Amino acid sequence: MPPPQSEELKRVESRVLEIGDRNAARLGLDRRGFFQTGAGMAAALLALNEVFGECYDVEAAEAADPKAFSERWPKDQFIFDVQTHHVDLSQKWYLGPDGKPTARFFQMLRPSLNVESSLEQLNRMHYVKELFGDSDTVMAIISGVPTREWDKNPLPPDQMVATRKYVNDLAGSRRVLSHGLLRPNLGLKELDELERQVKELKVDAWKMYTGAELGEKAWFLDDEKIAYPFWERTLKLGVKNVCVHKGLPLSAFNEKACTPFDVEKAAKDWPDLNFIIYHSAFRGSFWFGSGTGEKVPAPKNPDAQEIPWTSDLLRMLKKNPGIKNVYFELGSTFNMLSGSSPEKCLHMLGQMLQVVGPDRILWGTDSIWNGSPQSQIERFRRLKMTDVLKEKYGYPDLTPEVKAKIFGLNAARLFQVDVNAARKAIVSDQLTKAKEEYQRNPEPSQTQYGWIWVDESKTPSIPVGE
């Protein structure tokens, strides 16, 4: 459930509908048909600009002509999405009592009266279509979520690696990398699982959730007893990229363990590891939901620049300019802020550029939980630093060069991808040929999933597990 609409977002909605109704009539379309065109996207960006200031580079003419929106912008960026997801249904993990809460969460993203129908829309086939067919993404990392037992996991490490192989075999080039899943709070016996995933699965990086209790206590990156043996072993095995879920406590994760306060010591103690902070540690709106355990209070009287929890990480890095191994990943955070509070999104990006520079920000979208990432790609292409924010706070411009680094060049460097060689392979591989064929008669969903307003008194509950 999203937070209640602010007064600003009510104004945005009103203006979007006004522009949409007017221009749809001119084009001989109904409202839904209009919003399925590039002109509909332009209308949304224009409405955001009217309410929040000139945050997006968009012209009124683009909301009147669908071709004008799609033809104006170059689409040659190397877009490397470091946070993508899908689910595997083969093990029927969703039928057991441990799997039902997870299935219920996924079912809210793709509502259906039958749980299996909902989950089918999040399967590998849809992953390939929405990521590589319906967006300009060219490379991605498949990620996952932890469980105590792999046979109760919606996409365990072996299946993540199977997806890597499936897509790369389909393409005939390297399109997908794979995370492994690491769970230090299960104890030192988990070191064997770490070694298995590196040696047998040949994972490209780690994904971990400090807030995931898994029947044990949550854990912290700087715990010398729990975490440090894993940092020592992964360096010995040659895996240096450590991707950690921070922020977004939802309801399932320990709230305190989702904060970034454990990053500083760990980053200092392990300078040869790259700590990639997923979601940029963004707490989300305090309407977003609370996690388990000890609650972290909201800041009192925050100023315009305060981004809950992300600002804590920024302050830590500003205090420690010698720390060069901490990176910000934008998954879900950019999606939420750019669509609901673009000025706040610019505050976040402006401060990141001031504190760590353009080389330590990575593009991620959390797709396909929320659908194809193309809407997010379009928003980032069009996002611009406003004159007011530049003058008042000294934020730098979001230049094409800066955006190119964030879109994919930074991740390519971090994951040792030769961009020139990758471009050469991708331009003529089988996945590109399939996309070209698909684009002759595309069928994108044109849907952003996951955020809905519901009158619960009038909405029947959706059964899960039958």
Side-chain angles (χ1 to χ4, degrees):
M1 298 291 187
Q5 277 184 306
S6 65
E7 290 303 313
E8 290 86 356
L9 286 179
K10 290 178 182 178
R11 288 162 52 202
V12 170
E13 181 181 17
S14 176
R15 285 296 293 141
V16 166
L17 296 179
E18 289 173 12
I19 297 170
D21 285 340
R22 182 178 67 245
N23 289 353
R26 290 175 179 171
L27 294 168
L29 299 170
D30 61 16
R31 180 194 286 170
R32 182 175 295 272
F34 172 78
F35 282 117
Q36 289 176 326
T37 70
M41 184 75 175
L45 299 183
L46 285 170
L48 287 166
N49 277 356
E50 288 183 21
V51 174
F52 292 102
E54 295 292 321
C55 300
Y56 289 105
D57 184 2
V58 61
E59 299 173 359
E62 295 178 276
D65 179 3
K67 291 183 179 179
F69 185 86
S70 62
E71 292 178 354
R72 176 170 174 251
W73 213 254
K75 296 190 176 183
D76 59 352
Q77 295 104 338
F78 187 81
I79 299 178
F80 185 179
D81 191 332
V82 302
Q83 187 179 184
T84 63
H85 298 269
H86 75 82
V87 300
D88 172 61
L89 304 183
S90 62
Q91 296 194 62
K92 307 292 184 181
W93 54 269
Y94 50 90
L95 295 179
D98 293 336
K100 285 187 177 182
T102 303
R104 187 175 293 112
F105 176 79
F106 289 151
Q107 196 169 20
M108 289 192 295
L109 302 181
R110 305 286 194 280
S112 171
L113 290 177
N114 178 281
V115 65
E116 195 155 325
S117 297
S118 292
L119 295 177
E120 282 285 354
Q121 296 177 59
L122 292 164
N123 68 13
R124 182 192 283 166
M125 178 187 71
H126 284 279
Y127 174 82
V128 175
K129 174 186 178 293
E130 294 185 20
L131 199 66
F132 296 108
D134 293 333
S135 90
D136 294 328
T137 304
V138 297
M139 286 193 71
I141 300 179
I142 182 69
S143 193
V145 295
T147 54
R148 191 179 184 91
E149 298 172 350
W150 291 141
D151 62 356
K152 297 176 181 177
N153 191 290
L155 194 69
D158 295 73
Q159 287 300 318
M160 290 158 60
V161 168
T163 290
R164 178 182 66 185
K165 183 178 188 305
Y166 174 82
V167 179
N168 292 344
D169 287 352
L170 181 68
S173 71
R174 192 185 188 204
R175 292 296 201 105
V176 170
L177 281 62
S178 177
H179 280 142
L181 288 171
L182 202 57
R183 307 163 298 180
N185 53 334
L186 294 189
L188 294 180
K189 62 183 176 60
E190 183 73 0
L191 288 170
D192 293 336
E193 176 62 13
L194 176 153
E195 196 147 332
R196 181 189 79 87
Q197 292 185 43
V198 174
K199 291 183 175 180
E200 296 181 17
L201 302 183
K202 300 187 186 307
V203 299
D204 299 286
W206 295 115
K207 182 69 177 293
M208 57 196 66
Y209 293 72
T210 53
E213 293 166 312
L214 304 177
E216 305 289 342
K217 291 183 179 179
W219 60 285
F220 296 90
L221 298 173
D222 59 356
D223 189 310
E224 296 184 12
K225 182 178 179 180
I226 292 176
Y228 281 24
F230 291 87
W231 306 153
E232 182 178 9
R233 183 70 62 87
T234 193
L235 274 178
K236 182 178 179 180
L237 293 170
V239 179
K240 298 174 61 176
N241 291 327
V242 175
C243 305
V244 55
H245 175 109
K246 287 291 185 180
L248 303 190
L250 301 172
S251 59
F253 300 138
N254 180 281
E255 191 164 310
K256 185 176 180 180
C258 286
T259 65
F261 298 113
D262 54 344
V263 173
E264 179 178 350
K265 183 179 185 300
K268 286 180 177 179
D269 288 349
W270 299 92
D272 293 329
L273 286 176
N274 299 312
F275 291 91
I276 305 170
I277 309 303
Y278 271 42
H279 313 295
S280 299
F282 180 48
R283 191 259 179 263
S285 164
F286 279 81
W287 288 91
F288 192 81
S290 296
T292 63
E294 180 182 347
K295 303 304 180 224
V296 181
K300 295 181 179 179
N301 304 315
D303 61 26
Q305 291 183 288
E306 186 74 16
I307 316 292
W309 297 5
T310 302
S311 291
D312 293 312
L313 182 57
L314 284 163
R315 283 188 285 267
M316 180 267 286
L317 294 173
K318 189 174 183 179
K319 184 183 72 174
N320 294 277
I323 294 177
K324 303 294 185 184
N325 59 332
V326 173
Y327 295 77
F328 291 84
E329 186 271 345
L330 298 176
S332 280
T333 299
F334 176 81
N335 190 31
M336 287 187 285
L337 291 179
S338 63
S340 65
S341 184
E343 188 176 63
K344 184 70 75 175
C345 187
L346 288 172
H347 274 297
M348 178 186 72
L349 290 169
Q351 291 172 72
M352 287 179 183
L353 292 172
Q354 286 178 330
V355 174
V356 302
D359 296 329
R360 285 158 55 193
I361 309 170
L362 303 185
W363 180 251
T365 66
D366 237 349
S367 300
I368 63 171
W369 296 151
N370 39 35
S372 168
Q374 189 62 22
S375 169
Q376 297 183 58
I377 291 170
E378 296 286 5
R379 272 176 269 158
F380 189 58
R381 281 176 171 152
R382 299 297 186 116
L383 193 68
K384 65 178 183 178
M385 192 62 68
T386 67
D387 290 338
V388 171
L389 293 180
K390 286 190 291 186
E391 292 171 8
K392 186 172 182 179
Y393 299 100
Y395 297 151
D397 279 316
L398 288 167
T399 65
E401 293 76 18
V402 167
K403 289 181 179 180
K405 288 184 175 185
I406 295 172
F407 258 142
L409 300 184
N410 291 340
R413 183 186 71 253
L414 207 56
F415 289 91
Q416 299 182 325
V417 172
D418 183 327
V419 172
N420 292 329
R423 284 184 187 274
K424 186 176 180 180
I426 287 168
V427 74
S428 59
D429 74 10
Q430 294 303 308
L431 198 54
T432 295
K433 292 176 181 177
K435 180 175 181 176
E436 290 171 350
E437 179 68 25
Y438 166 71
Q439 288 296 330
R440 295 175 187 172
N441 188 28
E443 296 182 3
S445 69
Q446 303 286 16
T447 301
Q448 182 75 30
Y449 296 97
W451 292 97
I452 53 172
W453 282 281
V454 176
D455 182 346
E456 292 182 325
S457 66
K458 299 179 181 178
T459 305
S461 61
I462 298 175
V464 174
E466 295 299 327

